[in-house]
Amino acid sequence: MSFLTKIFGSRNQRLLKQYQKTVREINALEPKLEALTDEQLQAKTPEFKERISKGETLDSLLPEAFAVCREASKRVLKMRHFDVQMMGAMALHYGKIAEMGTGEGKTLMATLAIYLNALSGKGVHVVTVNDYLAQRDAEQMGQLYGFLGLTTGVNLSQLDHESKQTAYGSDITYGTNNEYGFDYLRDNMVYEAKDRVQRGLNFAVVDEVDSILIDEARTPLIISGQAENHTELYYKINEVPKLLALQIGEETPDGKGVVEVPGDYTKDEKSHQVLLTEAGHDKAEKILTQMGLLPEGASLYDPAHITLVHHLYAALRAHALYFKDQHYVVLDDEIVIVDEFTGRMMTGRRWSDGLHQAVEAKEGVRIQNENQTLASITFQNYFRMYTRLSGMTGTADTEAYEFQEIYGLETVVIPPNKPSQRKDRQDQVYKSAEEKYGAMLKDIQDCYERGQPVLVGTTSIENSELLSGILTKANLPHNVLNAKQHAREAEIIAQAGRPKGITIATNMAGRGTDIVLGGNVAKQVQLIEASTTLSDSEKKAQIKQLRDEWQSLHDQVVAAGGLHIVGTERHESRRVDNQLRGRSGRQGDPGSSRFYLCLDDPLLRIFAGDRIRNIMDRLKMPEGEPIEAGMVTRAIESAQRKVEARNFDIRKQLLEYDDVANDQRKVIYQQRNELLEAVDISEMIDSLRDGMFHDVVRMYVPEESVEEQWDLKALQTHLAAEWALDIELVSLLETEQNLTDADIVERVIAEAKKNYDAKVDLVGKEAFAGFERSVMLQSIDSHWREHLAALDHLRQGIHLRGYAQKNPKQEYKREAFELFGQMLDMIKNEVVRIIVTVRIQSREEIEAAEQQMAQPQVENVHYQHADFDAEASPEEMLAPAPVAGDESQPYVDLGWKVGRNDLCPCGSGKKFKQCHGKLA
């Protein structure tokens, strides 16, 4: 600790001191507010709103608003905020992250900051990790907000359009991170301003902020439509990995690497990659040739067969790196991804880049079509759009640097209400998994006999079921909580603190239910109070009996040492281990924790296994004897730090690339919104049209040029053929000798305007304005989709620029900027061309055309928060989406070879190389 820190305290201590001063102010108001009637207390909300409308700031209202909210909570929820909860809520209000331990009451704490910010009338978004928590918190805390005269809405994925608008129109909206992000993207795909659901992004409180802004931010949100269908190919290619063997060990250029077992491909679990060896490459080519997928003598890397490589690697990854009941489960003939961070099923999500289809082929379920990106955004860029962002979690401090670096969020560690009594014992490391499970069983059995409840944390569904089998064999009754038992979640957790209770759970992030020592009485009390058959006196008697019984159970558990946590292996992030530990020792309860590891655990095997194995061999450790030393625990933590640093690099890389797309996304979405909101867009159309014809004329009549340099005949032909404008420019020059180049530009623009006005007069200004708006929106959307695909392809190969001593990121920025400029020109050109050349026939046909234009032509939309592309290096991080060719019509193979410069058979009017020949 530095000399100055000793004198002035750390930044965290100084902030807490400031907050404590305000807490004293709030506490001083309590007696006065307790004397108010309910009506007088409720009248405070309109009074605050009025003061804000007169220019008073939220900061100056903070002490009073917090005191009013606390008093209301005492009356409605029968809960009084602790002083530390007041401090946490201040951190939220000032746009910081409040780190508060499990069981410190984060949900209740947030109500103070939410109430204060909702008074501004601009809306508050509360972001949770799943729909269950969003619904639960909105119902419980909604009673408090309702009492104070504020409305609460819940934004769930299955809601219809009207309900969503109502939810967003409320003062306070609860919902999941994915739903907020997808709603933002969908709002920027609508064709009428009234169809949008979100209003401005004002203040957000993110619950489990580390899980949402860090773990889930490795992958973007993607809305995609259906692309080409390669179903048959996936089934065929699925047979290839079965015929290839895994090579163990590999040769390295320095000669240190050794091939222990030769094979066809290598697997690098650290970077989640598979690579074909030379022998494997030849073997794969032979197999594909036999299958008839590759012509005799052709190479896998010929441009025409490059998609085969893509499919082959997707199939290899599906077989070598993705396992059933660990990374996914098979449910109702569908592959459902299991979230590696929360252990929950992510229904409706799909891996991208063909991986999901490859896993579907591997498991023999129905293959769904590949997708084309229609819109995408990263969580980093979505959440940075809020005017003020804040968050809360039990474990943020290990990632404080990333929160500051990427979101500009400072982490404030709030002290617990009562000091923690939990004893964290040192890790025990065994040589084999059998020894490890044997030691764990002994520990659990000992706790069971003493009546101490145990929570066992595992990293996958597979492990939780394996462990369940071991406990069943040993006749130990237990509950299993994983993605398959999703529905009973709250019930299992609520009773996990009873004597002799044994609960096996996958990841503990955002479970939202406290483990109360002696069991959770509140749940049972709710059932008794809801009963219609019991009289009031019977209810009271039963509740009293429950509470008395609970006290003895509670004392029994406390005497046995509180909740004991058993970790079956270390997670790759220290934060997730801390979340598991944090379930024990809440509110000053006693508790203990210990992690059991073996050298075969993924983290140890990949990052620290050899070092620890050498220590064990050197110490000549007997069978079944564990290592238990601070040095080993530190080595494991250093391995976890390495993984965390690598994941941070991946996220930062993804963000740096997405920042380029994000600047462009903002421009496009802003233009779309201006179009949707504008009452009259004729000025915009006039300026586009004038600019376009100015450029057309200048191609044939250069600026400040002499008559000899003009090519009026060619210009006249071009205007007639391309723009349906008949202007006799050649004869005009003969009749008017003093004509200048500027006069010609003026004449052409005037003629174009006259032609345009005639069309508007035919159908009426209003009908034509609707048609123009539709044309512009349609054009922006279709070109933006193509642009997203172009950026994806650019990003896939950009890392190769490094070989030419160029910075891939700078190259990507430069080329993306050029592509964006070209896209804007194409949009202008297309819009003006359609509006100038459109043939008007009748009002009915205009209305029919407008109706048709207003419907986005996208089928089978999918919403993805895909798994991150673990196979790519950070330089190659992308949100990939295989892209179909031109959308005008499907391309049909007519059985003959099409030349690259011939017109494409799909009828788009483009050359084959610029249309369906583009990808090959």
Side-chain angles (χ1 to χ4, degrees):
M1 194 187 276
S2 76
F3 173 67
L4 288 175
T5 308
K6 275 182 189 165
I7 297 175
F8 299 111
S10 65
R11 163 85 178 151
N12 202 71
Q13 288 163 335
R14 292 198 304 277
L15 280 174
L16 293 179
K17 224 176 213 167
Q18 254 171 278
Y19 295 168
Q20 273 160 343
K21 217 162 96 188
T22 315
V23 169
R24 286 196 287 272
E25 272 180 62
I26 298 166
N27 289 342
L29 294 168
E30 195 166 10
K32 198 171 88 181
L33 291 173
E34 280 176 334
L36 298 181
T37 63
D38 283 1
E39 288 72 26
Q40 287 170 320
L41 189 63
Q42 287 167 330
K44 285 285 182 188
T45 301
E47 181 201 312
F48 290 149
K49 286 184 173 178
E50 195 181 324
R51 282 162 61 182
I52 290 168
S53 67
K54 287 180 180 165
E56 209 169 318
T57 65
L58 292 178
D59 291 0
S60 63
L61 276 178
L62 187 144
E64 286 176 78
F66 276 25
V68 165
C69 190
R70 167 147 81 179
E71 184 55 37
S73 171
K74 276 155 63 180
R75 297 182 191 191
V76 179
L77 303 172
K78 310 281 184 282
M79 292 192 273
R80 179 185 179 274
H81 297 78
F82 300 129
D83 288 358
V84 288
Q85 287 173 307
M86 293 278 172
M87 289 153 71
M90 279 176 230
L92 294 185
H93 169 69
Y94 294 123
K96 300 183 193 305
I97 288 172
E99 174 177 306
M100 293 176 76
T102 304
E104 291 292 319
K106 289 187 281 290
T107 312
L108 182 66
M109 173 270 282
T111 55
L112 300 162
I114 292 166
Y115 171 66
L116 173 61
N117 282 275
L119 293 171
S120 68
K122 293 176 185 167
V124 173
H125 289 176
V126 187
V127 188
T128 64
V129 282
N130 57 47
D131 282 348
Y132 159 72
L133 282 183
Q135 184 105 42
R136 189 204 70 173
D137 292 354
E139 280 169 13
Q140 284 183 356
M141 302 304 145
Q143 299 168 19
L144 170 61
Y145 305 132
F147 175 83
L148 288 167
L150 297 175
T151 54
T152 310
V154 193
N155 173 30
L156 303 173
S157 48
Q158 61 273 24
L159 287 189
D160 59 60
H161 190 262
E162 247 168 75
S163 312
K164 262 190 187 295
Q165 281 182 325
T166 312
Y168 277 113
S170 307
D171 294 313
I172 299 146
T173 311
Y174 281 82
T176 63
N177 46 331
N178 290 323
E179 214 41 42
Y180 285 121
F182 284 136
D183 284 335
Y184 170 74
L185 292 175
R186 281 188 289 250
D187 275 358
N188 286 290
M189 292 169 76
V190 299
Y191 280 70
E192 293 285 338
K194 65 176 191 300
D195 291 338
R196 291 181 299 197
V197 294
Q198 280 186 347
R199 43 189 183 145
L201 304 179
N202 172 43
F203 176 69
V205 176
V206 184
D207 192 5
E208 299 299 341
V209 67
D210 50 338
S211 179
I212 289 174
L213 296 191
I214 290 195
D215 295 336
E216 298 209 18
R218 272 199 280 178
T219 51
L221 291 173
I222 303 171
I223 294 184
S224 51
Q226 196 166 302
E228 293 169 89
N229 187 352
H230 291 147
T231 306
E232 206 44 51
L233 189 53
Y234 281 109
Y235 282 126
K236 285 183 179 171
I237 294 262
N238 185 51
E239 298 305 313
V240 181
K242 300 173 190 172
L243 306 170
L244 300 176
L246 172 66
Q247 173 171 303
I248 297 171
E250 59 180 311
E251 290 175 46
T252 51
D254 55 16
K256 286 181 186 168
V258 180
V259 175
E260 294 166 40
V261 181
D264 305 311
Y265 66 93
T266 58
K267 173 165 88 167
D268 180 354
E269 287 176 284
K270 196 181 289 186
S271 58
H272 224 59
Q273 279 191 23
V274 285
L275 283 173
L276 283 171
T277 60
E278 275 189 49
H281 183 263
D282 296 339
K283 190 170 173 182
E285 278 184 354
K286 278 182 194 147
I287 295 167
L288 291 170
T289 307
Q290 284 164 8
M291 287 180 161
L293 295 174
L294 197 64
E296 195 72 49
S299 161
L300 251 182
Y301 288 92
D302 288 344
H305 308 121
I306 208 85
T307 52
L308 277 180
V309 180
H310 166 85
H311 283 84
L312 178 60
Y313 270 108
L316 259 178
R317 286 174 69 202
H319 280 265
L321 296 168
Y322 288 83
F323 303 109
K324 188 175 170 180
D325 284 348
Q326 185 177 342
H327 300 100
Y328 61 89
V329 290
V330 180
L331 202 73
D332 304 331
D333 200 37
E334 264 187 41
I335 298 293
V336 183
I337 300 173
V338 172
D339 185 340
E340 63 169 315
F341 302 109
T342 62
R344 289 189 164 83
M345 288 194 283
M346 306 209 293
T347 317
R349 303 293 162 69
R350 297 178 65 73
W351 285 306
S352 49
D353 218 15
L355 174 64
H356 208 98
Q357 288 81 356
V359 174
E360 284 169 333
K362 170 186 160 188
E363 293 296 341
V365 303
R366 189 173 60 83
I367 291 182
Q368 297 177 17
N369 280 359
E370 284 185 32
N371 301 323
Q372 167 193 6
T373 303
L374 306 176
S376 91
I377 193 167
T378 56
F379 279 134
Q380 288 97 326
N381 279 323
Y382 172 71
F383 282 111
R384 291 194 303 192
M385 285 190 289
Y386 279 91
T387 314
R388 188 181 289 176
L389 178 64
S390 66
M392 50 190 186
T393 176
T395 44
D397 209 32
T398 52
E399 313 289 348
Y401 173 71
E402 180 165 351
F403 283 126
Q404 186 67 57
E405 182 83 352
I406 287 181
Y407 301 97
L409 284 171
E410 186 178 0
T411 302
V412 184
V413 181
I414 308 289
N417 185 41
K418 295 178 182 166
S420 172
Q421 305 283 331
R422 190 183 68 240
K423 295 183 179 77
D424 293 329
R425 298 176 191 152
Q426 281 185 339
D427 300 358
Q428 287 196 345
V429 185
Y430 291 85
K431 261 188 176 173
S432 71
E434 287 78 31
E435 293 172 11
K436 173 177 94 169
Y437 283 120
M440 272 163 47
L441 182 61
K442 225 183 245 171
D443 191 0
I444 295 168
Q445 229 157 1
D446 170 54
C447 290
Y448 181 74
E449 282 158 13
R450 289 186 297 103
Q452 182 176 12
V454 184
L455 176 69
V456 187
T458 65
T459 51
S460 67
I461 297 175
E462 191 182 29
N463 277 359
S464 64
E465 290 181 346
L466 169 76
L467 202 64
S468 173
I470 294 172
L471 293 184
T472 307
K473 238 184 222 170
N475 291 324
L476 288 173
H478 60 277
N479 274 317
V480 182
L481 177 62
N482 59 32
K484 293 180 176 178
Q485 269 84 23
H486 198 48
R488 293 181 53 228
E489 176 168 328
E491 185 192 325
I492 293 175
I493 286 284
Q495 300 311 324
R498 293 177 79 85
K500 296 195 168 192
I502 302 174
T503 312
I504 301 174
T506 47
N507 197 310
M508 292 303 298
R511 293 286 177 192
T513 312
D514 275 335
I515 298 178
V516 182
L517 300 189
N520 193 335
V521 181
K523 283 265 168 211
Q524 290 158 289
V525 169
Q526 277 172 9
L527 291 174
I528 294 172
E529 283 179 343
S531 167
T532 48
T533 52
L534 299 172
S535 69
D536 283 354
S537 58
E538 284 173 329
K539 282 181 186 176
K540 275 179 188 162
Q542 284 200 12
I543 290 172
K544 185 180 183 309
Q545 188 191 339
L546 262 180
R547 292 197 197 284
D548 295 345
E549 196 181 87
W550 174 81
Q551 194 55 55
S552 70
L553 290 176
H554 176 78
D555 297 342
Q556 194 183 328
V557 172
V558 169
L563 179 68
H564 180 53
I565 301 285
V566 173
T568 58
E569 63 183 90
R570 286 281 199 156
H571 195 274
E572 62 177 37
S573 162
R574 289 170 296 163
R575 217 178 54 248
V576 181
D577 293 340
N578 293 343
Q579 278 166 358
L580 176 62
R581 276 204 171 117
R583 294 284 146 186
S584 170
R586 53 180 287 290
Q587 288 295 339
D589 284 340
S592 54
S593 73
R594 169 166 270 156
F595 280 84
Y596 290 88
L597 318 174
C598 73
L599 299 182
D600 296 334
D601 290 347
L603 185 83
L604 287 192
R605 192 182 71 239
I606 298 168
F607 290 96
D610 295 341
R611 248 165 80 201
I612 295 172
R613 197 182 292 273
N614 291 340
I615 295 171
M616 283 186 150
D617 292 342
R618 221 171 292 154
L619 297 174
K620 297 195 168 52
M621 300 204 61
E623 283 294 308
E625 194 65 35
I627 281 193
E628 187 179 326
M631 183 174 81
V632 173
T633 305
R634 283 195 297 278
I636 292 162
E637 282 199 0
S638 118
Q640 288 176 306
R641 273 197 195 93
K642 279 184 214 162
V643 185
E644 286 166 13
R646 178 178 173 272
N647 289 342
F648 173 53
D649 282 343
I650 288 173
R651 290 188 288 268
K652 201 164 178 214
Q653 204 77 38
L654 170 70
L655 184 63
E656 282 171 349
Y657 280 120
D658 192 64
D659 276 345
V660 177
N662 194 49
D663 294 338
Q664 300 176 358
R665 187 189 296 117
K666 279 180 185 164
V667 172
I668 288 291
Y669 286 177
Q670 187 188 343
Q671 285 195 345
R672 269 189 119 265
N673 286 328
E674 281 172 9
L675 263 177
L676 289 174
E677 284 157 17
V679 181
D680 181 12
I681 60 165
S682 55
E683 266 183 44
M684 203 187 289
I685 296 290
D686 287 348
S687 108
L688 279 180
R689 189 188 59 244
D690 294 354
M692 196 76 218
F693 280 107
H694 178 276
D695 295 346
V696 168
V697 175
R698 286 302 179 200
M699 278 158 49
Y700 298 94
V701 181
E703 214 159 336
E704 294 178 1
S705 56
V706 289
E707 207 177 293
E708 284 71 27
Q709 292 171 281
W710 300 352
D711 191 351
L712 291 186
K713 194 168 183 207
L715 174 59
Q716 191 172 312
T717 312
H718 176 82
L719 289 172
E722 297 282 323
W723 300 93
L725 282 184
D726 289 320
I727 312 175
E728 293 296 330
L729 291 174
V730 179
S731 54
L732 190 69
L733 183 61
E734 287 166 7
T735 51
E736 294 186 33
Q737 297 296 321
N738 301 330
L739 210 60
T740 64
D741 58 319
D743 292 338
I744 294 174
V745 173
E746 257 176 56
R747 290 290 171 91
V748 171
I749 287 175
E751 189 62 36
K753 179 158 176 43
K754 191 172 128 194
N755 176 324
Y756 167 82
D757 289 343
K759 289 175 183 172
V760 175
D761 292 343
L762 261 175
V763 293
K765 196 168 182 183
E766 213 172 292
F768 206 75
F771 172 70
E772 285 171 336
R773 182 182 275 111
S774 295
V775 168
M776 270 192 98
L777 288 171
Q778 189 92 24
S779 182
I780 287 172
D781 287 353
S782 66
H783 284 290
W784 176 240
R785 288 207 291 269
E786 283 177 20
H787 180 67
L788 283 177
L791 288 184
D792 282 344
H793 289 126
L794 174 64
R795 196 162 11 178
Q796 273 171 341
I798 202 77
H799 62 285
L800 298 172
R801 305 283 172 94
Y803 293 118
Q805 307 300 309
K806 289 180 178 174
N807 180 337
K809 272 178 233 153
Q810 291 305 329
E811 289 291 293
Y812 179 74
K813 278 180 186 169
R814 186 179 57 76
E815 291 210 16
F817 184 71
E818 282 174 20
L819 284 171
F820 189 65
Q822 288 168 16
M823 179 193 75
L824 292 179
D825 289 343
M826 282 155 79
I827 292 172
K828 282 180 202 165
N829 195 322
E830 187 174 280
V831 169
V832 176
R833 187 180 298 275
I834 292 173
I835 286 169
V836 169
T837 58
V838 70
R839 296 211 326 273
I840 307 294
Q841 288 171 328
S842 72
R843 187 180 291 273
E844 289 76 34
E845 282 175 24
I846 276 282
E847 282 166 6
E850 189 184 335
Q851 202 89 46
Q852 193 185 345
M853 299 289 292
Q855 305 306 320
Q857 309 289 314
V858 180
E859 292 175 13
N860 299 346
V861 174
H862 289 283
Y863 299 98
Q864 275 170 278
H865 173 213
D867 185 42
F868 74 103
D869 186 8
E871 183 186 323
S873 66
E875 276 294 0
E876 297 170 85
M877 283 308 295
L878 66 151
V883 175
D886 188 285
E887 290 192 351
S888 51
Q889 282 174 311
Y891 167 48
V892 183
D893 187 355
L894 300 172
W896 68 79
K897 188 155 174 55
V898 183
R900 292 194 38 77
N901 287 312
D902 296 350
L903 285 178
C904 186
C906 79
S908 65
K910 295 182 185 176
K911 288 181 177 176
F912 181 66
K913 67 181 180 188
Q914 282 155 354
C915 189
H916 278 84
K918 217 180 200 173
L919 290 181

